Amino acid sequence: MIPAQTNLLRNARMKPWEPVVWLLLFAAPTLFPSHAAIVNEVAIVGLFAVSLDLVLGYTGIVSLGHAAFFGMGAYTAALFCKHVMPDPHLGLLAGIATATVLGFLASFTILRGTDLTRLMVTLGIALILFELANKLDWLTGGMDGIQGLMFSPVLGKFEFDLAGRTAAYYSLTVLLLVFLLARRIVHSPFGATLKAIRDNRLRAMAIGIPVHSRLVAVYTVAAAMAGAAGALFTQTSGFASIDVFEFHRSADVMLMVVIGGVGWLYGGVLGAVVFKLMQDFLSQITPQYWTFWLGLFLVVLVLVGRDRLLKPWTWFRRGQA
Amino acid sequence: MSEVVLSCQGLVKRFGGITATNNVTLDLKRGARHALIGPNGAGKTTLINLLTGVLDATEGRITLEGQDITGLAPHQRVRRGMVRTFQINQLFASMTPLETLALVVSQHRGHGARWWSPLGKDAGVAERAQQLLEQFHLAEVANQRTEHLAYGKRRLLEIAIALASDPRVLLLDEPVAGVPAGEREELLQTVAALPADVSVLLIEHDMDLVFSFAKRMTVLVNGTVLTEGTPEEIAANPEVKAVYLGHGDEINEAVQAGERAHG
Amino acid sequence: MAELLKVEKLSAGYGEAVVLHDISFALPEGQTLALLGRNGTGKTTLINTLAGATRQHGGTISLAGAALHKLASHQRAAAGIGWVPQERNIFKSLTVHENLTAVQRAGRWTPERVYEMFPRLAERKGNLGTQLSGGEQQMLAMGRALVVNPRLLLLDEPLEGLAPIIVSELLKAISRITREEGLSAIIVEQHPQAILAISDQAIVLDHGTIVHADSAATLRRSPELLDRLLGVAR
Amino acid sequence: QSAPFKIGLILPMTGQQATTGRQIEAAARLWIAQNGDTVAGRKVQLIVKDDTSVPDVTRRVAQELIVNEKVDVLAGFGITPSALAVAPMATQSKTPLVVMAAATSSITEASPYVVRTSFTLPQAAVAMADWAPKNGIKTVVTLVTDYGPGLDAEKFFKSRFEFNGGKVPETLRVPLRNPDFAPFLQKVRDIKPDALFVFVPSGAGAAVMKQFGERGMDKAGIKLIGTGDVTDDDQLNDMGDVALGVVTSHHYSAYHPSPANKKFVAEFQKANKGLRPNFMAVGGYDGMRVIYEALKKTGGKGGGDALLAGMKGQIFESPRGPVFIDAQTRDVVHNIYLRKVEKKDGQLHNVEFDVLKDVKDPGKTK
Amino acid sequence: MLTILFDGIAYGMLLFVLAVGLAVTMGLMNFINLAHGAFAMAGGYITVLLMQRLDVPFLLSLPAAFIGAALLGAVLERTLYRPLYRRAHLDQVLFSIGLVFMSVSAVDYYVGSTQQIMQLPQWLKGRTEIGSLGMGHYRLFIIAVCAALTLGLQYILAKTRFGSRLRASVDDQRVAAGMGINVNVVFLSTFAFGSGLAGLGGALGAEVLGLDPSFPLKFMIYFLIVVAVGGTSSITGPLLAALLLGIADVAGKYYIPQMGAFIVYALMIVILLWKPHGLFVRQGGKA
Ligand SMILES: Nc1ncnc2c1ncn2[C@@H]1O[C@H](COP(=O)(O)OP(=O)(O)OP(=O)(O)O)[C@@H](O)[C@H]1O
Ligand SMILES: Nc1ncnc2c1ncn2[C@@H]1O[C@H](COP(=O)(O)OP(=O)(O)OP(=O)(O)O)[C@@H](O)[C@H]1O
Ligand SMILES: [Mg+2]
Ligand SMILES: [Mg+2]
């Protein structure tokens, strides 16, 4: 193999620490059975964050309405359970399918414009879906959502238990599968064209990349992944509530991706872990004022930078001129 | 080998009240080494932007290999073999030169939509990328992020990208601006040495380079074609001298003026 | 003639990296200095240091007796520095006219006079910085430095990308301005011949230090010396 | 020494519903301060959690409380979806779930373990629909916030009011995210009904009232009536004179003239920097009583079903007046008062002037 | 009919004052400051607390809100914001959201989470009817203040060099400084001014929109809509956008109340798809 090829392939190779991360994640529900619920939540938002990173980090498209796809997946899974069958696997596929369709349609709104316009258009779409879910209460249960769903066991064997172990493993497995898929995508020539579009759209066109169809493709794929996260949400909690479309869901997932670092698939997962654990931890200590400390964390994180965060002694060193 | 490869008829581009391109008709023959010169703001860059589809023409028609491409998107024109460089570098800041070139080569070979195998999987792509790196003196910086490269190297990469997609028609917009004086000739020689059926259109203000490179020249003034001809004809054309070249003695006049002043 | 600029033992660079070492020279009022050197030898860094846009590590700069090195970048313009940066750096969200008026200071040079010198700019008054051709941006950068009404012009490759006829006119204009208005200038160029012709002095940089200082005329007449210093004889 | 008796109090402590959480927590703590933290020999421990008004967070918090903390009772619940999200877990784990705030009728039907000590919107709305036609109000336009409780209020008010012979020419629904009430109020003004019936989440009430006054609707002869959320005791005093004369129906007023209430209000204010308790607080306070009494009945043993049995059918004198936990529906039965805002001792109060006794939730179909 | 138009204009004007500061920091300084609402909230609380606790008259508390928020802006600019101008937009988002979280909790801690209600002076409470047109005095007052503000701003940006010096500094700090522009002062004063405007908007809006600690989060979307639709390159853009949205919202809710919340969002999406750079772009077209 010529050195150039080795160099090119180096990035795509699995690093030694990667299996370790996954082993730890999968060990968590067993090691800390009492925290299986939060592991499940982390896995779901982690999946959601990976989906956003694909568009935000790798393609440079800001989206503040990612909850639209999450919510679509969530409601589809709920309706599927209620009206078709309680099987979670098929429900998951159904959630993915509707989110994919929605993502494909929505992708045409993000082709043109500035970051700000895209931000607002995506946000607007999620807000409209929110209002729709509220208005169509014969279908969606309005503000109260669809409650009390009972799903059949995963693989026909594992009941969703009260402690949330089954839920955690179910979500982690889906996260792993989607993650591996995303990993493949970003290291492929297709992934490289996405990065090219992010870095310089003009030049990307000038080397023959069909920018619009790439954007449509990646946005649709990301929407499908977000839909999977939404379906998991419904299936592991037994309900779909209207706030799956809420602004704060889109905003939180964006924060997570940025906290973990954009354009690095593990960033989404890491951000989800950090954000959720921190939120959980802080709100235990001070249920009233935990947002203050979370805010402080974000401010400090940005001011000192991710790389220096764990080295407080460097915080006050002067930056260069 | 004299059939027309790229041609435009009656091309007009207006920006609000400004007519940057005014009824330009131009033919580029197969294998041409053609230079496009003209005063600053004459519309040279705009013309390239129109030909490549970066801008939409207000009026006029563009044909490539006999087919009308006026309405095609930029990337579709690239697929038909027309490639350009930019007057101001347009690079992929976060990628390395190696990745950049591998990407361009694989896109050119039709692998751009492949999502299942890694970028370096195809040995042919890697090989071609390596070859380009060496040809453009970029091998030693092949694995640095592009945004950290020195200006001269970035300029070289700009041109390497264009050549990576094996163009049939190559449009170069001031390719050597900012390239070290010693390397300019070498660079243009690389371009001149492209296969004989590749057609090249060059924009450049360095007249030594232009006259050593071009077999044919077009002069653009105020968005309009002033004249077209061989280098000899252009050099001798009084109008061209008046609006663009000058008479070649201004510098001396300036010197004399200066010497007079400083004694 | 009174000394306008005096640089002593100057060292400067970017962040921790020191690019320029121990630079000393002086420039009398009304004179022009050609600053030569191969790629990456520190020409731009020297110009930027004079303009206050790098990190200075040591040495002094004085302009007409005042200690320039103690001033912040924006105060140096008031002290009499006009700067044409190598990459032009036109303010892209301002129109041509605003690019000039935003930085204008009282003095002989007004936007109108700039338009007389570059009629092309007058025609493009309302264009945004991004809507100019490469050469027009170069002209605007020159005009923008002039309306600051400086005593010392710092020109970093001002001829790159200009049509030959403009190059010669600009050269004439520079030599006229320095002569008639007592302005001093430091000019960086890739093509030494053109610039030496209108300069009084020349210094050659290599690896961030001055390797040769001479009168421009002498250097111009010795191509073999130029070739040795710069690797180009043209 | 047996393990402490744990009450998991899940409330919105941050965000727009934060006042709800604040009032309920303060009331619960007041109850403990007044009645000690030991019941039938069992130490009572209160675990307060923030659910940020997001149902899935509520659910996870409840799950952790049940699985890790092994709480004996879940309580709190600021909004209906949160209560609904937890209901199946209450059933699954046989943990009694005491709803102290959320007011949609259907919550008690979501699980046999749900007990409510707050109120239901239909109770308040229907009381108003009964009172209004008797007091010269023949046409009413309703204005409610477009979500579960609002729709409940609209539905029950309208049907009962029309049953009583009144007319409802228009029902207006305000989006949840709505900064300006001007267009809706203008619409009402143009219709000129005898009265405007309003339900908005507490907090928005002040804005409605002010704009109502600003628009000169009172002068145009339109009365403002509504459920007690509009003249929430928590804020009433700051609303100023626009609130004077507004008639509302509700189960609790801080001005309720009973010794029990006087004591409750005084001690609540003392413990909370003068904060006036509102209907949320009384829901929390009574909820604690229901839990304490149930625990007593089990002799300190606890146990989900035993506690639940102990909660059903409790009758007691609350600061709001007599309260009965209907053993059938597990929902609260209490008086609904008609009140008018008046100035007493320099402060604005909801002064009760009429009462409908022992109102059951009309929303229960079974 | 006319009354609806009037209400819509007043509402739009209010949105404008609240958002214009953001148009300045985001559009002119290119800084994504989601904490804008926090400054508005600061202005609102300054007014309410001054009036409630110190009995300061309403008219005096308005400038106090402006100055207070501006000072707060200035202090934060010097200490926290300055190093972030050159950072990636996403970092700015993270940072300013962090500030919002902190401000929400801090206000909750010091003032409490209840709605603050302020008492307007008597002369602002009335209403004037001219034929079918009914005008609330407070809304008239808002319109007057906003009109004056718009004219003032327009003057500063168009007739003085400040606007172009600011944009020059944003385009290229290093070179702007080299051309003699005191970049730090330009940024500091702009930021403080933008924050002050937000504060004034918060003070004016407290009466109509309500005021509680979640204010910055609740209204962030509205500010962003105004700025996105109006485009970020002028003052007239956001003004017209705010008016358009205000009128559309009020009229929509009046005539088709069922459509309630959809109208504004749908309008925004349609406008942005039609004109991706906002309604009003700086002359010259495509960038
Ligand atoms: N977007 C635009 N809006 C308005 N005018 C424009 C725009 N782009 C270019 N122009 C004008 O069109 C004219 C042609 O510009 P162009 O860049 O094609 O010139 P050029 O021949 O490449 O010049 P140079 O040799 O200086 O690069 C210029 O005068 C320029 O000001
Ligand atoms: N921003 C920067 N940060 C760090 N190093 C830099 C930076 N800019 C330039 N340098 C380094 O400083 C040295 C001198 O660069 P400078 O730009 O001054 O050279 P120059 O003589 O102007 O070259 P050119 O002819 O290419 O313009 C080079 O080695 C370069 O790599
Ligand atoms: Mg050009
Ligand atoms: Mg240089």
Side-chain angles (χ1 to χ4, degrees):
Chain A
M1 212 191 287
I2 61 168
Q5 192 174 8
T6 325
N7 281 330
L8 281 172
L9 287 174
R10 185 177 305 137
N11 281 338
R13 253 207 321 266
M14 185 76 74
K15 311 276 178 306
W17 53 264
E18 290 186 66
V20 180
V21 169
W22 287 102
L23 276 177
L24 283 179
L25 278 176
F26 270 83
T30 306
L31 290 182
F32 312 100
S34 59
H35 294 291
I38 191 122
V39 174
N40 176 49
E41 212 172 299
V42 165
I44 292 174
V45 292
L47 173 56
F48 193 22
V50 167
S51 140
L52 181 64
D53 198 23
L54 214 50
V55 283
L56 180 68
Y58 285 92
T59 323
I61 300 291
V62 286
S63 166
L64 200 46
H66 227 50
F69 313 118
F70 185 88
M72 197 67 178
Y75 269 91
T76 307
L79 292 171
F80 188 85
C81 171
K82 199 168 151 191
H83 299 297
V84 186
M85 50 158 56
D87 181 80
H89 314 88
L90 291 177
L92 178 63
L93 291 183
I96 293 177
T98 53
T100 310
V101 173
L102 181 66
F104 177 73
L105 295 177
S107 69
F108 292 93
T109 63
I110 54 134
L111 298 180
R112 303 195 307 149
T114 61
D115 282 357
L116 179 63
T117 14
R118 272 193 279 265
L119 204 72
M120 296 315 292
V121 168
T122 50
L123 173 64
I125 291 174
L127 289 175
I128 284 190
L129 283 173
F130 175 90
E131 294 296 339
L132 270 180
N134 186 22
K135 284 273 178 210
L136 302 178
D137 49 3
W138 54 270
L139 181 68
T140 60
M143 220 12 107
D144 294 344
I146 303 170
Q147 305 279 354
L149 301 167
M150 297 306 283
F151 288 89
S152 52
V154 178
L155 300 176
K157 232 168 111 183
F158 304 99
E159 289 277 356
F160 285 104
D161 55 331
L162 192 60
R165 284 250 316 254
T166 308
Y169 278 113
Y170 179 46
S171 301
L172 279 173
T173 310
V174 177
L175 170 66
L176 176 61
L177 292 178
V178 173
F179 190 92
L180 291 177
L181 176 72
R183 207 173 173 291
R184 252 192 185 237
I185 292 178
V186 300
H187 293 302
S188 68
F190 176 81
T193 62
L194 297 182
K195 283 182 248 181
I197 292 171
R198 172 193 68 191
D199 280 3
N200 192 333
R201 202 187 265 231
L202 180 62
R203 189 54 183 248
M205 277 188 227
I207 60 170
I209 298 174
V211 172
H212 283 192
S213 62
R214 286 289 191 281
L215 290 179
V216 168
V218 71
Y219 204 69
T220 308
V221 168
M225 293 177 177
L232 290 180
F233 169 91
T234 298
Q235 297 178 343
T236 57
S237 65
F239 66 86
S241 58
I242 191 157
D243 72 288
V244 289
F245 286 118
E246 269 270 26
F247 171 65
H248 72 79
R249 247 178 235 283
S250 306
D252 283 357
V253 73
M254 185 146 151
L255 292 186
M256 287 177 221
V257 173
V258 183
I259 288 174
V262 292
W264 178 56
L265 289 176
Y266 284 96
V269 179
L270 179 71
V273 171
V274 170
F275 191 80
K276 278 285 163 196
L277 292 188
M278 177 150 306
Q279 193 173 339
D280 195 48
F281 173 73
L282 290 175
S283 67
Q284 303 227 351
I285 300 179
T286 156
Q288 270 185 41
Y289 303 114
W290 60 272
T291 48
F292 181 86
W293 302 105
L294 184 67
L296 187 64
F297 166 74
L298 297 182
V299 168
V300 170
L301 176 74
V302 175
L303 283 179
V304 307
R306 272 169 215 91
D307 36 343
R308 286 197 296 165
L309 188 67
L310 297 177
K311 304 178 213 154
W313 59 92
T314 61
W315 287 7
F316 296 101
R317 205 171 287 164
R318 284 183 57 90
Q320 67 245 41
Chain B
M1 282 250 286
S2 67
E3 89 248 50
V4 173
V5 180
L6 174 68
S7 116
C8 61
Q9 289 105 36
L11 219 48
V12 176
K13 177 68 194 179
R14 290 192 201 96
F15 297 107
I18 298 167
T19 307
T21 307
N22 190 5
N23 201 12
V24 168
T25 298
L26 185 82
D27 286 341
L28 198 63
K29 303 245 167 65
R30 189 175 307 286
R33 300 290 181 265
H34 197 127
L36 181 63
I37 60 173
N40 296 114
K44 305 179 293 295
T45 302
T46 306
L47 181 61
I48 297 236
N49 284 339
L50 292 173
L51 293 175
T52 53
V54 171
L55 294 174
D56 290 329
T58 316
E59 280 167 36
R61 233 164 64 87
I62 307 166
T63 55
L64 182 65
E65 306 274 11
Q67 283 172 333
D68 191 328
I69 58 163
T70 319
L72 291 191
H75 66 91
Q76 290 168 316
R77 305 186 193 201
V78 177
R79 286 197 190 151
R80 290 168 192 232
M82 177 164 63
V83 178
R84 68 175 294 186
T85 66
F86 290 85
Q87 185 169 2
I88 294 157
N89 287 344
Q90 304 287 346
L91 302 172
F92 304 125
S94 71
M95 297 194 192
T96 65
L98 172 61
E99 282 166 357
T100 304
L101 292 173
L103 160 68
V104 182
V105 173
S106 80
Q107 172 69 34
H108 172 63
R109 298 190 176 177
H111 306 167
R114 256 187 213 177
W115 58 266
W116 55 90
S117 65
L119 178 58
K121 190 83 180 169
D122 191 323
V125 170
E127 232 165 80
R128 174 78 177 120
Q130 183 64 33
Q131 188 193 336
L132 284 160
L133 287 170
E134 276 155 24
Q135 185 180 359
F136 286 90
H137 307 291
L138 288 166
E140 72 270 31
V141 294
N143 294 309
Q144 290 176 20
R145 275 166 78 99
T146 299
E147 59 193 343
H148 296 321
L149 298 184
Y151 186 78
K153 295 288 181 198
R154 278 188 262 159
R155 201 65 207 156
L156 292 173
L157 181 57
E158 170 74 38
I159 299 159
I161 291 177
L163 291 184
S165 22
D166 300 326
R168 316 283 311 138
V169 176
L170 182 60
L171 312 175
L172 300 168
D173 195 352
E174 301 198 26
V176 299
V179 174
E183 289 175 36
R184 293 183 170 202
E185 286 81 2
E186 187 192 336
L187 209 121
L188 271 188
Q189 272 154 25
T190 312
V191 173
L194 284 171
D197 59 344
V198 174
S199 325
V200 183
L201 182 68
L202 170 77
I203 298 178
E204 183 53 62
H205 288 298
D206 185 331
M207 285 304 116
D208 294 343
L209 290 179
V210 169
F211 279 97
S212 71
F213 171 85
K215 304 274 185 309
R216 241 189 130 65
M217 302 173 72
T218 298
V219 185
L220 210 57
V221 177
N222 276 331
T224 321
V225 177
L226 178 71
T227 173
E228 191 186 321
T230 61
E232 294 72 32
E233 289 164 3
I234 298 295
N237 185 321
E239 268 185 290
V240 177
K241 275 193 185 171
V243 298
Y244 182 67
L245 293 176
H247 296 281
D249 50 3
E250 275 87 354
I251 293 185
N252 290 327
E253 277 175 30
V255 177
Q256 282 152 15
E259 279 171 355
R260 246 181 285 126
H262 299 302
Chain C
M1 241 180 286
E3 227 156 51
L4 181 68
L5 179 74
K6 192 165 172 64
V7 173
E8 275 178 291
K9 297 201 182 315
L10 183 67
S11 67
Y14 305 90
E16 297 305 311
V18 182
V19 175
L20 294 178
H21 310 272
D22 201 21
I23 304 276
S24 303
F25 65 90
L27 184 65
E29 205 170 328
Q31 286 211 0
T32 301
L33 173 80
L35 182 55
L36 307 173
R38 291 174 226 236
N39 266 92
T41 51
K43 305 182 295 292
T44 299
T45 309
L46 177 53
I47 293 284
N48 292 359
T49 305
L50 295 177
T54 62
R55 174 114 166 245
Q56 192 177 332
H57 291 273
T60 59
I61 310 169
S62 69
L63 187 76
L68 204 62
H69 59 277
K70 290 190 182 147
L71 298 183
S73 185
H74 69 93
Q75 293 166 319
R76 298 190 189 194
I81 298 277
W83 177 34
V84 176
Q86 180 168 10
E87 286 167 68
R88 295 153 197 178
N89 298 308
I90 296 306
F91 300 129
K92 58 184 190 298
S93 57
L94 300 189
T95 61
V96 169
H97 193 63
E98 285 170 334
N99 260 283
L100 296 175
T101 52
V103 303
Q104 185 185 358
R105 282 173 189 279
R108 299 200 216 181
W109 282 95
T110 58
E112 283 63 41
R113 230 182 123 191
V114 171
Y115 294 143
E116 266 169 42
M117 179 157 143
F118 301 113
R120 188 82 216 166
L121 288 183
E123 293 166 30
R124 293 290 179 267
K125 246 182 176 174
N127 278 31
L128 292 182
T130 42
Q131 300 168 338
L132 291 179
S133 83
E136 288 164 350
Q137 294 189 20
Q138 185 68 63
M139 297 174 203
L140 181 56
M142 183 79 196
R144 187 178 60 178
L146 286 173
V147 293
V148 171
N149 281 296
R151 310 174 66 173
L152 172 66
L153 272 173
L154 306 174
L155 309 176
D156 200 346
E157 309 205 6
L159 309 178
E160 189 68 57
L162 290 179
I165 192 165
I166 306 276
V167 167
S168 51
E169 277 175 17
L170 189 62
L171 283 173
K172 265 195 284 183
I174 292 172
S175 97
R176 197 175 57 236
I177 294 165
T178 47
R179 187 159 26 91
E180 289 172 6
E181 305 187 6
L183 259 156
S184 304
I186 301 181
I187 310 180
V188 178
E189 245 315 312
Q190 296 270 359
H191 301 300
Q193 285 301 352
I195 210 71
L196 283 172
I198 63 157
S199 301
D200 303 285
Q201 303 184 31
I203 56 181
V204 181
L205 288 183
D206 197 7
H207 286 96
T209 54
I210 297 181
V211 291
H212 189 85
D214 210 339
S215 89
T218 330
L219 203 57
R220 194 158 89 96
R221 292 197 194 94
S222 44
E224 33 334 303
L225 182 58
L226 265 182
D227 192 27
R228 187 161 58 74
L229 290 168
L230 303 173
V232 274
R234 284 189 302 117
Chain D
Q1 182 69 43
S2 56
F5 182 83
K6 291 183 181 171
I7 304 173
L9 192 58
I10 307 178
L11 291 168
M13 303 299 291
T14 53
Q16 285 189 56
Q17 308 288 330
T19 43
T20 304
R22 228 50 74 75
Q23 287 268 359
I24 292 179
E25 188 194 352
R29 298 217 182 272
L30 176 64
W31 174 269
I32 295 178
Q34 287 174 341
N35 297 278
D37 62 354
T38 332
V39 179
R42 204 80 188 266
K43 186 117 181 132
V44 174
Q45 189 188 341
L46 197 61
I47 306 172
V48 180
K49 294 273 182 183
D50 178 20
D51 71 2
T52 65
S53 296
V54 177
D56 60 295
V57 177
T58 320
R59 190 191 130 96
R60 178 178 45 83
V61 168
Q63 188 168 3
E64 285 174 354
L65 284 173
I66 294 172
V67 175
N68 303 346
E69 301 282 352
K70 313 246 171 342
V71 291
D72 299 277
V73 175
L74 288 170
F77 305 100
I79 58 169
T80 304
S82 287
L84 291 177
V86 178
M89 294 176 72
T91 317
Q92 207 175 348
S93 64
K94 301 193 190 316
T95 312
L97 188 158
V98 180
V99 175
M100 294 171 164
T104 311
S105 179
S106 60
I107 297 175
T108 45
E109 288 160 14
S111 159
Y113 286 85
V114 174
V115 174
R116 168 152 44 200
T117 61
S118 49
F119 75 113
T120 76
L121 265 170
Q123 288 176 331
V126 164
M128 182 52 85
D130 282 339
W131 176 82
K134 288 188 223 143
N135 289 278
I137 296 172
K138 298 287 176 238
T139 53
V140 170
V141 172
T142 61
L143 178 97
V144 303
T145 297
D146 193 1
Y147 75 131
L151 302 187
D152 256 10
E154 177 192 293
K155 183 170 125 202
F156 284 94
F157 178 84
K158 184 167 186 245
S159 59
R160 180 66 72 100
F161 186 65
E162 286 176 344
F163 175 81
N164 289 337
K167 279 213 178 58
V168 179
E170 178 86 73
T171 54
L172 298 170
R173 295 178 185 178
V174 183
L176 257 185
R177 225 191 297 272
N178 183 65
D180 189 5
F181 289 97
F184 297 104
L185 292 177
Q186 185 61 34
K187 185 126 194 149
V188 176
R189 195 172 193 270
D190 294 347
I191 297 174
K192 274 193 191 294
D194 296 333
L196 169 66
F197 173 84
V198 178
F199 168 81
V200 289
S202 70
V208 174
M209 218 153 347
K210 280 186 158 182
Q211 297 193 15
F212 187 85
E214 185 220 343
R215 212 149 281 273
M217 298 177 60
D218 40 355
K219 297 194 188 75
I222 303 172
K223 289 203 179 66
L224 185 63
I225 58 177
T227 59
D229 308 72
V230 185
T231 55
D232 188 345
D233 279 316
D234 197 0
Q235 296 175 28
L236 181 59
N237 205 28
D238 293 330
M239 291 184 188
D241 294 349
V242 284
L244 280 177
V246 174
V247 175
T248 55
S249 57
H250 222 206
H251 59 287
Y252 178 68
S253 158
Y255 201 67
H256 180 64
S258 76
N261 186 46
K262 290 232 166 74
K263 175 163 178 275
F264 170 66
V265 173
E267 291 185 14
F268 188 96
Q269 291 195 316
K270 204 166 118 217
N272 295 288
K273 295 191 261 177
L275 181 68
R276 195 193 274 182
N278 67 359
F279 61 98
M280 296 294 180
V282 84
Y285 190 75
D286 289 348
M288 289 302 285
R289 174 200 298 268
V290 167
I291 296 170
Y292 263 50
E293 291 302 320
L295 181 57
K296 260 185 216 152
K297 283 189 197 158
T298 65
K301 278 220 293 293
D305 289 315
L307 284 170
L308 189 70
M311 290 177 184
K312 288 182 190 171
Q314 284 190 23
I315 302 182
F316 56 90
E317 173 72 17
S318 144
R320 67 181 102 169
V323 168
F324 166 50
I325 305 293
D326 187 339
Q328 210 100 59
T329 61
R330 288 158 279 107
D331 220 331
V332 63
V333 179
H334 49 192
N335 296 343
I336 299 290
Y337 305 90
L338 286 146
R339 313 96 49 93
K340 185 183 245 152
V341 177
E342 287 173 27
K343 203 166 231 160
K344 297 276 174 179
D345 323 323
Q347 297 213 317
L348 292 181
H349 278 289
N350 287 305
V351 179
E352 297 165 354
F353 63 87
D354 201 354
V355 55
L356 282 91
K357 290 233 153 86
D358 301 332
V359 180
K360 281 190 171 191
D361 176 27
K364 298 288 181 305
T365 42
K366 284 171 269 180
Chain E
M1 172 64 219
L2 278 178
T3 309
I4 286 301
L5 190 65
F6 170 81
D7 285 339
I9 291 175
Y11 177 47
M13 285 286 202
L14 191 58
L15 285 182
F16 171 69
V17 193
L18 277 165
V20 66
L22 186 64
V24 170
T25 38
M26 199 146 114
L28 298 179
M29 292 174 71
N30 195 23
F31 186 93
I32 312 282
N33 184 22
L34 295 185
H36 183 73
F39 293 99
M41 174 170 71
Y45 273 96
I46 288 174
T47 309
V48 169
L49 293 183
L50 281 181
M51 288 172 63
Q52 276 179 5
R53 309 223 166 138
L54 301 177
D55 281 329
V56 177
F58 179 66
L59 274 190
L60 267 186
S61 70
L62 284 186
F66 178 88
I67 293 168
L71 280 180
L72 184 67
V75 170
L76 288 178
E77 201 271 351
R78 288 254 24 186
T79 51
L80 297 178
Y81 278 89
R82 189 168 295 172
L84 294 171
Y85 289 141
R86 275 184 259 182
R87 297 280 284 278
H89 278 172
L90 287 176
D91 279 346
Q92 299 172 352
V93 166
L94 204 60
F95 167 82
S96 51
I97 276 283
L99 276 189
V100 171
F101 286 169
M102 290 173 72
S103 69
V104 168
S105 284
V107 169
D108 189 352
Y109 183 78
Y110 286 108
V111 192
S113 58
T114 45
Q115 278 277 344
Q116 296 296 323
I117 299 163
M118 69 182 187
Q119 296 302 335
L120 289 178
Q122 209 51 47
W123 59 273
L124 280 176
K125 278 185 177 167
R127 188 179 172 81
T128 303
E129 304 263 349
I130 306 171
S132 68
L133 169 65
M135 295 179 294
H137 289 170
Y138 189 63
R139 283 175 195 250
L140 265 180
F141 178 72
I142 290 179
I143 294 180
V145 172
C146 297
L149 247 163
T150 315
L151 291 178
L153 273 176
Q154 197 62 19
Y155 179 80
I156 294 178
L157 289 180
K159 287 282 168 353
T160 69
R161 284 200 303 174
F162 190 84
S164 43
R165 291 171 83 91
L166 170 62
R167 285 199 300 269
S169 309
V170 174
D171 282 351
D172 195 328
Q173 282 192 39
R174 198 176 62 106
V175 173
M179 300 293 146
I181 297 174
N182 192 344
V183 176
N184 284 344
V185 168
V186 168
F187 280 169
L188 179 74
S189 41
T190 309
F191 194 88
F193 190 66
S195 310
L197 284 176
L200 181 63
L204 283 174
E207 165 75 9
V208 178
L209 306 176
L211 184 66
D212 66 80
S214 61
F215 185 92
L217 287 169
K218 235 188 322 189
F219 291 101
M220 185 156 75
I221 295 177
Y222 290 90
F223 306 152
L224 287 173
I225 293 180
V226 170
V227 176
V229 170
T232 48
S233 53
S234 68
I235 295 301
T236 19
L239 174 68
L240 293 179
L243 285 178
L244 180 68
L245 291 172
I247 295 172
D249 191 41
V250 171
K253 283 174 177 162
Y254 182 83
Y255 290 107
I256 16 176
Q258 310 81 293
M259 288 297 292
F262 290 98
I263 292 171
V264 170
Y265 304 141
L267 190 67
M268 169 185 85
I269 293 179
V270 168
I271 292 181
L272 289 183
L273 289 182
W274 169 49
K275 291 216 155 172
H277 296 268
L279 276 183
F280 301 90
V281 227
R282 218 163 136 69
Q283 79 277 38
K286 284 193 195 172

